[in-house]
Amino acid sequence: MTGGELPVLEVRDLTVSFGALTAVCGMCFSAERGKITSIIGPNGAGKSTLFNLVSGGIRPSAGTVLFEGADVTGWAPYKLIRAGISRSFQITNLFFELPVYENLRLAAQALESSTKSLLPVRCSARARERVDELIEQFDLGEKVHELAGYLSHGEQRRLEIAVVLACRPRLLLLDEPTQGMSHSDTQEIGKVIRKLSGDLSILLIEHDIDLVMDLSDHVVVMHQGAKLAEGTPPEVKGNPLVQSAYLGLSVHAGN
Amino acid sequence: MDTLNPPLSILQAVRRRDHIAHNAWQVFAFLFIGLALAFTLVAAPSGDTFYFRLATEALIYSGLAMSVDLLLGFTGLLSLGQALFFGLGAYTSALVLKHVGPSFWTAMAVTLLVSTAVGIVGGFIAIRARGVYFALITFGMAQVVSKIVYNTRELGASDGIMGIPVIQANFLLFKVDTAQAPAFFLTVLAMTMGLYFCIAYLLRTPFGRTLGAVRNNECRVPFLGYNPQLYKMLAYVLAADMAAFSGALYPMLRGFVSPELMYFAVSGDAVITVVIGGLGTLIGAIYGSVILTGLKSAIGTYTGHYQIVIGVLFMLSVIAFPKGLMGYLSPLVEKWLAGRRENP
Ligand SMILES: Nc1ncnc2c1ncn2[C@@H]1O[C@H](COP(=O)(O)OP(=O)(O)OP(=O)(O)O)[C@@H](O)[C@H]1O
Ligand SMILES: [Mg+2]
């Protein structure tokens, strides 16, 4: 860790329960600015729930979320977006009956001042430029008129990331961006994510351990709603606790 | 041909598509105005008032139908009680005209103030619920209010308010007498189409597009930076104002108002109108209203049970034209517009 600098995100003692199940329990970690921090853990460990807590999808029952030093615990998602936190979804969550272009335009609209919200959309020049950039970056040029629901799975996953980037967030939360993707598509997404980091701080949930070890600056391992371990990829890989909790996956990756 | 044209940039292509779809609606809007003016020219010399009043009524109900389309077709909220605001507008306007003064503009202004206030209260109650619960709450609110009106002697109870004076609407350059059927028809036509163009404009702004996002996938909207509850509230209040605005014209046309204006039959007809005309097209609400009002009147001269005939026709039209009249016709016009552009 670089140290000294204020972390972009700091989570303290975050807890939430669904009935009898405590999905996230006293979770603490922080993410460095401009770095890729990965959250890994077995199914049901509470990773997506942690994202929901940080992105405002659900309110924590205890704990604090600090974004760039400011307390944003329990803020509504639309406020957090405006503050600079944007998230993608594990299960593709797009406007399936709207064209690709409109999906991106809606997301980029947040860049415009609200004074333009009653002018025709063609006046939103900043949003338009942003959409054109993203179409280029995510290679969706041939599909702009296609309804999002008609895209292939891989294209939908790319659009999901593009939509999240549209509002130029400072902290990006990616929930299994490569979920269900082919190996080559996964590599492509990996490259995109690496390119994004630096300007952007990224929090990544990912099951592809090789990708995680390859991309991450810092890895946090979750197990049963709590933090099991954290460290650099090699530290985590070598941690016996992680090895036993993670069904030997990291042992495999280490070989 | 394609090879001769320079490749379109993405932006140009998107704009062109948007434009063509939008223009198709505009074609139907202007066509409607043309038809209405032609009707005036043909019917006015005959001195007839029945058909002018019927056509005016169709226009008035089309404002109510547009408000339903704004909610259902563009925001995804099925209101089964939109007649509440239609009736509210009619009663407010009737009371102002009868007791405050026979001023067209005062009646309209007071109506909009009242409907905005009631719309905000109704919105707070209704928009917390989603889907079928929203529909039931709007239904329930309209039932409650219509029953209260029905039992309030000060509002004429079951008889409603009668004897609303004929007024002269002052448009600075000229005056329109509500008793003169063709002139009042043209006034209502201008106001209805004005309302249409305002809402059509609004739907092409970021505000309108955000409503579309709410309709499409409400859960995703907060993660784009918008509060969907706020947008639903704004749509609800706007729809309340639209319905009340049209309702306010009703007593000027008929000279009376009655609690039936708030009944479910009126709310339900508005939904049927929108579905027949084409959900989510806005202009379809106007055509649908003319069709339904015309049918009701035509069938009503033969049988009192016109609801049965309307019901059957509604089912048949939904099966044959699931996207409604405009949903069926507009792709044809879009194709024609696109073709005209490519071969100028
Ligand atoms: N809204 C909810 N209501 C009730 N239980 C929930 C809810 N959301 C999550 N859970 C439960 O909380 C636990 C953690 O779920 P979560 O989705 O956070 O896991 P995860 O680490 O993201 O798993 P995966 O790797 O499968 O995505 C699970 O047992 C899940 O069933
Ligand atoms: Mg998950």
Side-chain angles (χ1 to χ4, degrees), chain A residues 118-167:
Chain A
L118 290 180
L119 294 177
V121 283
R122 71 183 128 78
C123 300
S124 310
R126 234 186 299 171
R128 213 168 57 207
E129 279 162 25
R130 184 68 181 135
V131 173
D132 285 348
E133 271 170 37
L134 289 165
I135 286 171
E136 175 112 8
Q137 190 180 353
F138 286 86
D139 193 22
L140 290 164
E142 310 225 310
K143 304 282 179 173
V144 277
H145 293 308
E146 207 78 62
L147 301 189
Y150 290 165
L151 298 183
S152 71
H153 179 76
E155 286 162 348
Q156 285 185 351
R157 293 308 290 174
R158 288 213 300 272
L159 181 57
E160 175 85 31
I161 302 176
V163 162
V164 175
L165 284 170
C167 60

Side-chain angles (χ1 to χ4, degrees), chain B residues 104-105 108 186-196 245 249:
Chain B
F104 177 81
W105 295 110
M108 294 316 260
L186 289 176
T187 310
V188 175
L189 176 69
M191 302 198 93
T192 306
M193 293 316 290
L195 183 64
Y196 166 80
F245 176 88
L249 298 168

Side-chain angles (χ1 to χ4, degrees), chain A residues 78 81-82 93-94 102 118, chain B residues 201 209 217 220 223 225 227:
Chain A
Y78 48 87
I81 288 274
R82 307 261 164 185
N93 193 352
L94 296 165
E102 181 64 5
L118 290 180
Chain B
Y201 169 85
R209 297 295 186 88
N217 184 356
R220 189 68 169 88
F223 295 95
N227 181 356

Side-chain angles (χ1 to χ4, degrees), chain A residues 77-78 81-82 87 89 93-95 97 101-102 105-106 109-110 117-121 128 135 145 163, chain B residues 10-11 13-15 17 201-202 204-207 209-210 213 215-217 220-227:
Chain A
Y78 48 87
I81 288 274
R82 307 261 164 185
R87 71 165 295 185
F89 291 82
N93 193 352
L94 296 165
F95 300 99
E97 288 157 41
Y101 190 90
E102 181 64 5
R105 206 201 53 74
L106 280 166
Q109 201 173 275
S117 65
L118 290 180
L119 294 177
V121 283
R128 213 168 57 207
I135 286 171
H145 293 308
V163 162
Chain B
I10 291 166
L11 170 65
V14 167
R15 265 211 204 158
R17 258 244 192 148
Y201 169 85
L202 210 56
R204 304 186 73 215
T205 63
F207 167 76
R209 297 295 186 88
T210 309
R215 189 193 73 133
N216 223 276
N217 184 356
R220 189 68 169 88
V221 172
F223 295 95
L224 297 182
Y226 303 94
N227 181 356

Side-chain angles (χ1 to χ4, degrees), chain A residues 18 21 23 41-50 90 175-176 205 207:
Chain A
F18 302 112
L21 174 80
N43 290 114
K47 307 181 293 295
S48 296
T49 307
L50 178 67
Q90 181 172 358
D175 196 344
E176 295 195 35
I205 295 179
H207 273 303

